[in-house]
Every structure is written in structure tokens, then in C-alpha cells.
Amino acid sequence: QKAEEALKAARSDHESAYDAEIKKLDDVKKTLLDRLHDLNEQKKQCAAAYGNANVSDDDLIEINAGGKIIAARRGVLCQVKGTRFEALFSGRWEQ
């Protein structure tokens, strides 16, 4: 009888600790999602102020590479996020 009660108490303690950790993780997730939303809003504002907010991944970009004109879609040039190409050709700085 005592062993069963001790087991129930231990299980209850573990479930409480588990629920507390889940709550902490949910709070961190919400904080990160809020930050992401704020950053995306800032990105849109910068694009509207300094670039072209109506850019599309299907836009054809012509690049002069050593005297030779190369055409590529904006989406191809920007597919790897955080790269120099993405920064240059995203459309945020076209004005």
C-alpha cells in the first residue's frame, strides 16, 4: 500500500514537472514567434521605404558578369537565406 502511494506521488511530481517544462517551452515559443513577427514587419517597412515591396520570385534579373549578361530569376538568386545574393537581389534596396 505504501509503495503504491509513493509511486503515485512520484508520478504526480514528474507530471507536474513535465507540465511546468512544457509551459516554459510554450512561453519561449510564443516569445520567439512574436519576435519573428516583429522582424518580418520591420522587413516589410524597410522594403516599403527603401526598396520595392512588389517584388516577386519570378522577376527576371539581368546581371552583368564580366561583360556578359546573365539572366536569372530572383527566386533562384535568393533561395539561400542570409547570403550576400539574397541581400543584394531580394528587392529590399532597389531605391
Side-chain angles (χ1 to χ4, degrees):
Q1 191 76 5
K2 285 185 180 183
E4 189 174 315
E5 288 176 12
L7 188 59
K8 283 182 182 179
R11 180 179 176 165
S12 177
D13 290 345
H14 283 297
E15 286 178 350
S16 296
Y18 177 79
D19 290 340
E21 288 299 317
I22 293 295
K23 171 90 170 83
K24 284 181 194 175
L25 290 173
D26 286 342
D27 292 343
V28 169
K29 180 181 177 181
K30 184 185 180 321
T31 301
L32 290 174
L33 288 174
D34 289 344
R35 268 185 77 192
L36 179 62
H37 179 266
D38 292 344
L39 288 171
N40 282 330
E41 286 300 315
Q42 288 178 1
K43 184 177 174 181
K44 287 178 187 176
Q45 290 173 358
C46 285
Y50 303 109
N52 185 350
N54 297 320
V55 297
S56 168
D57 282 347
D58 292 329
D59 291 344
L60 197 59
I61 306 288
E62 292 182 352
I63 303 168
N64 184 343
K68 183 172 180 161
I69 302 297
I70 299 171
R73 299 242 180 252
R74 186 183 305 271
V76 172
L77 297 171
C78 297
Q79 67 185 349
V80 180
K81 301 298 179 201
T83 62
R84 179 98 171 132
F85 270 4
E86 193 259 343
L88 287 172
F89 300 110
S90 66
R92 289 183 294 206
W93 312 111
E94 291 188 358
Q95 289 183 0

